[in-house]
Amino acid sequence: MKILVTVKEVATVEDEFEIEGTEIADRYLGADLNEWDDYAIEEAVQLQEEGVADEVVTVTIGPEDCEQTIRQALAKGADRAVRVWDDALEDVDLLDVGAKTAILREVVAEEEPDLVLTGVQSGDDSWGGTGVALAEAVGYEWAAVVNSLDHDLESGTASVRRELEGGVEELTDVELPAVLTIQTGINEPRYASLRGIRQAQRKPLDVQSLGDIGVDAGAVEGRVELTDMYEPESESDVTVFDGSAEDTAGQLADLLRDKGVAQ
């Protein structure tokens, strides 16, 4: 069995930041592996360690600068990686679900995985539809927001537990090949060992352009336009008390009395 895991380098932002136009100023930004993708990687590596999967491949859409971040997946046990980037993507302000699906669809067609694992969403732009859209595009069965996966997949069926609204969970079987979007908490992602980090630098990372995978540049222009970015206004003021519990207890009691909460 081959497992393909989609991974992404996401932007992280400091607590205090400034917005310039429709972007957060670069000086306040960092980068890290998407949290949800980390759980997807761990699930795939566990399947390989248990002898269910023969190969774990990761795929990302991003420039060369993101390679160090996405090599974390290789350091944690993935066998090889595919990175898709092209000059046509440089000028795309917002790579939406449709554009990502157009690219990932061709990678799936080339790799022919039995199972595709994606994170439920990304931590920066919060798209939550890429996994399901990809499943529709490639004709795979799918299950979204999976928080438990039965590792006995030899029968060609994945038994999963899905997290629904209101704390409800659904148990269902999904026929392989399938796409599963993985929720945080399904496992405990491992830290990359020093040995794993050294090995990751020697593992294959194949760079593909849009032309290499047969995607027309027009397909990634997207239908979503970012027109404005702003920090939401707070609906209420926050009062912060400094000092020990003894010092601040009286201040808190006074505030509660002023609000009519306490007598």
Side-chain angles (χ1 to χ4, degrees):
M1 173 184 289
K2 179 192 290 188
I3 302 177
L4 181 69
V5 186
T6 65
V7 298
K8 181 184 180 184
E9 179 185 83
V10 297
T12 59
V13 63
E14 298 177 8
D15 292 336
E16 299 292 333
F17 59 88
E18 295 178 6
I19 296 173
E20 297 178 352
T22 58
E23 297 180 347
I24 295 174
D26 287 344
R27 61 185 177 277
Y28 300 103
L29 295 177
D32 200 358
L33 182 66
N34 185 44
E35 180 184 8
W36 286 264
D37 298 346
D38 202 6
Y39 287 86
I41 293 162
E42 178 63 29
E43 199 67 17
V45 172
Q46 286 187 18
L47 284 167
Q48 187 179 48
E49 290 174 341
E50 294 172 14
V52 178
D54 302 307
E55 185 179 30
V56 175
V57 183
T58 68
V59 56
T60 192
I61 304 169
E64 185 177 0
D65 290 348
C66 77
E67 284 193 5
Q68 196 59 40
T69 297
I70 62 173
R71 279 191 183 274
Q72 291 182 43
L74 297 175
K76 294 183 179 191
D79 298 298
R80 59 186 177 88
V82 177
R83 180 174 67 83
V84 180
W85 194 246
D86 195 277
D87 290 343
L89 295 169
E90 294 283 358
D91 298 325
V92 178
D93 293 329
L94 193 63
L95 200 63
D96 64 20
V97 170
K100 292 176 183 177
T101 300
I103 294 171
L104 295 174
R105 176 180 58 204
E106 300 306 321
V107 176
V108 169
E110 176 66 24
E111 294 290 340
E112 298 182 334
D114 302 283
L115 185 63
V116 178
L117 301 182
T118 78
V120 166
Q121 66 186 66
S122 57
D124 49 7
D125 54 29
S126 294
W127 295 124
T130 303
V132 175
L134 176 60
E136 177 69 20
V138 299
Y140 280 18
E141 296 291 319
W142 60 270
V145 199
V146 172
N147 60 13
S148 178
L149 170 61
D150 183 355
H151 286 189
D152 183 17
L153 304 178
E154 280 80 1
S155 63
T157 301
S159 296
V160 304
R161 185 172 67 206
R162 300 179 56 226
E163 180 182 308
L164 306 181
E165 297 291 339
V168 176
E169 292 187 337
E170 176 188 76
L171 300 176
T172 188
D173 290 340
V174 182
E175 296 294 325
L176 302 182
V179 178
L180 307 179
T181 74
I182 302 299
Q183 176 65 301
T184 57
I186 190 174
N187 52 47
E188 185 64 38
R190 69 194 66 194
Y191 289 99
S193 65
L194 290 176
R195 180 170 179 266
I197 293 171
R198 288 194 296 268
Q199 290 178 334
Q201 300 303 317
R202 298 190 297 271
K203 289 182 178 179
L205 197 162
D206 185 21
V207 181
Q208 300 281 328
S209 68
L210 294 182
D212 292 333
I213 61 174
V215 175
D216 185 87
V220 300
E221 293 179 356
R223 300 180 180 180
V224 179
E225 180 183 357
L226 182 61
T227 60
D228 192 16
M229 179 177 288
Y230 59 91
E231 190 173 0
E233 294 183 6
S234 174
E235 296 183 357
S236 61
D237 294 329
V238 175
T239 301
V240 179
F241 298 111
D242 294 323
S244 66
E246 292 78 8
D247 295 335
T248 59
Q251 300 175 55
L252 176 59
D254 291 340
L255 177 63
L256 294 175
R257 281 193 290 269
D258 291 341
K259 298 292 184 181
V261 178
Q263 299 296 324

